[in-house]
Amino acid sequence: MTLVELMTASTLSLVVIGGMMGAGIRFQTQSLGQQQKMMAQQSLRAAADLLSLELEKAGAGFGAARLNLGGAVTQGALVPVTGDTFASDGTFAAPDGEYAGLISDSLTIYSGVTAATINLACCPGVGSLGACGACSTRNGSGNICTAVQPGSGTFSADSQLVFFNPTMGVACAQKLTSAPNSAAFVTSEGLGSLGAPGGSDPCASASTFWCSASTFATQLSAVSFRVNWKPVATGGAQRPRLQRDPDGPFGPLPFQDLLWDVEQLEVRLLVDDLSNPGAFRFYPDAAAGRPALDQCTVATCPVAGGLDAKDTALALGLTANDGLRAQLQRRVRGVEVSLVSRSLTSDPAQVRRTGSSEHAHFVTTADGLPLDGFARRRVVFQVTPRNFALSEVTP
């Protein structure tokens, strides 16, 4: 073999080896990409399963009733907040820069612990108290009388309670101040620093809410979810993760990391038209011109099917806009959740930008996701809370 032939053969061998190495690298890159897509999909499944379980039990014990948390703060068992920035929470950061449009909703879910439920009773010897006639479930000391002595092991001091009057479709949150030692609850009205509801609010101490022994009490449970973009290290890049607060906004525990690289949480409520069974409206619904329910006003969100006597009771003590939201909350029958997760790393070959070099930004997909090299997966699911018709069918 001549030197020329040897050099030619070597060159060809190098070309073949280089091609094989290139193919191997591409195969490895594709394999890694598929693996990351699978991990993103698994994160979504885990998040969807957990949220579905929490959503199914939303409103246990009080359904879609108006829930007064204290003062004039009223809402339903499902509380999505659009674009929540948690301004007073230094552990939270919203997405910034080119990701600023991906800020998520937050979601708080309230439910009763139905295994710890007890009926109220007319207080002995009270006679007339406030708006009540022969029967009041509150005595002269403001304590709330029960049919039997609440178990101190079940109702411990500092427990959050919810009292539900099914006739009025109203639920009132209070905090137990001491473990029960008689057939009565000793409570402070409202949760946190919200204080007692006043005026003509149905939960006020002199309201007819407390005139019925069909009212009952149970422990109140709360859980909150949000997407936090705070960097893992000071000065580092933002990395999103789904967080969960296991005792909600009025408990002592903080938000805790649940799943990394979940970057969006969006919530829509499905609202029933009580005069037209089977007809539903989404809040928010940009195509129909409806905002999120927490942003509704009398001008933007008329109640489908008109109002009835229970709607009048729900609006007592509230501003016109807050009363409208309470009436819409009464009609919530389902919730739609959209979650987006992304891969751990970005593939530079998949980045797409538009604009000049100084003002370039990511090209976005039809549903607003940036083409930044991360592989993404989205899941959308709907849940019907099993308790939300309770406040409409219970006599």
Side-chain angles (χ1 to χ4, degrees):
M1 176 180 293
T2 66
L3 181 58
V4 173
E5 290 173 333
L6 180 60
M7 293 179 65
T8 301
S10 298
T11 301
L12 291 174
S13 297
L14 289 173
V15 171
V16 172
I17 293 172
M20 292 176 63
M21 291 181 64
I25 292 172
R26 285 195 298 273
F27 177 78
Q28 186 179 24
T29 300
Q30 291 175 355
S31 177
L32 180 60
Q34 290 300 321
Q35 183 181 18
Q36 293 206 23
K37 289 178 182 178
M38 186 180 301
M39 292 175 64
Q41 187 69 32
Q42 289 174 341
S43 292
L44 281 185
R45 289 176 180 172
D49 286 346
L50 177 61
L51 276 164
S52 295
L53 290 173
E54 296 287 358
L55 287 166
E56 282 184 359
K57 63 182 182 181
F62 55 92
R66 162 185 163 175
L67 173 63
N68 185 308
L69 296 176
V73 179
T74 61
Q75 56 197 28
L78 288 176
V79 190
V81 178
T82 306
D84 202 337
T85 59
F86 295 89
S88 61
D89 185 350
T91 67
F92 177 82
D96 60 17
E98 294 184 84
Y99 296 101
L102 298 185
I103 186 168
S104 292
D105 300 336
S106 65
L107 175 64
T108 297
I109 304 168
Y110 291 93
S111 60
V113 183
T114 52
T117 299
I118 190 168
N119 285 85
L120 302 190
C122 302
C123 295
V126 170
S128 178
L129 179 69
C132 299
C135 172
S136 173
T137 59
R138 299 181 74 121
N139 61 28
S141 302
N143 298 337
I144 301 169
C145 302
T146 57
V148 296
Q149 179 174 331
S152 57
T154 302
F155 296 95
S156 57
D158 294 330
S159 294
Q160 296 178 161
L161 304 180
V162 60
F163 298 89
F164 176 50
N165 183 318
T167 302
M168 298 177 69
V170 172
C172 307
Q174 298 191 12
K175 189 173 183 179
L176 195 62
T177 57
S178 61
N181 56 14
S182 61
F185 286 119
V186 181
T187 65
S188 58
E189 295 185 282
L191 302 181
S193 59
L194 297 177
S200 56
D201 191 285
C203 290
S205 59
S207 166
T208 55
F209 178 96
W210 305 102
C211 298
S212 170
S214 64
T215 300
F216 56 86
T218 187
Q219 286 188 347
L220 181 64
S221 173
V223 60
S224 300
F225 296 89
R226 71 183 186 186
V227 174
N228 191 350
W229 286 71
K230 194 174 183 66
V232 179
T234 303
Q238 288 190 317
R239 186 181 174 192
R241 67 269 200 189
L242 182 66
Q243 293 187 317
R244 178 177 182 266
D245 181 348
D247 56 4
F250 298 101
L253 297 176
F255 275 94
Q256 302 165 15
D257 293 340
L258 187 63
L259 288 168
W260 287 93
D261 301 311
V262 174
E263 67 177 9
Q264 272 194 292
L265 166 66
E266 295 177 304
V267 182
R268 296 203 300 172
L269 297 180
L270 191 60
V271 177
D272 192 7
D273 178 353
L274 297 183
S275 67
N276 187 13
F280 298 98
R281 298 181 174 188
F282 279 109
Y283 291 79
D285 186 344
R290 285 190 291 272
L293 198 149
D294 63 294
Q295 298 176 357
C296 276
T297 66
V298 173
T300 59
C301 304
V303 176
L307 305 178
D308 58 22
K310 188 173 286 188
D311 286 312
T312 301
L314 291 177
L316 285 173
L318 302 178
T319 66
N321 289 333
D322 285 342
L324 170 87
R325 293 174 194 131
Q327 292 157 354
L328 290 172
Q329 286 281 1
R330 169 195 171 191
R331 293 160 167 79
V332 172
R333 292 294 177 269
V335 58
E336 179 186 270
V337 177
S338 173
L339 291 166
V340 176
S341 67
R342 74 183 192 186
S343 58
L344 176 62
T345 59
S346 171
D347 180 0
Q350 302 301 318
V351 175
R352 299 290 183 271
R353 289 184 175 275
T354 184
S356 65
S357 58
E358 293 184 3
H359 304 286
H361 55 272
F362 294 125
V363 174
T364 57
T365 63
D367 54 354
L369 298 177
L371 295 177
D372 55 359
F374 288 99
R376 287 179 170 82
R377 288 292 182 267
R378 180 191 293 274
V379 63
V380 180
F381 60 96
Q382 293 182 2
V383 178
T384 301
R386 63 186 66 177
N387 309 285
F388 270 25
L390 178 66
S391 55
E392 295 302 322
V393 300
T394 304

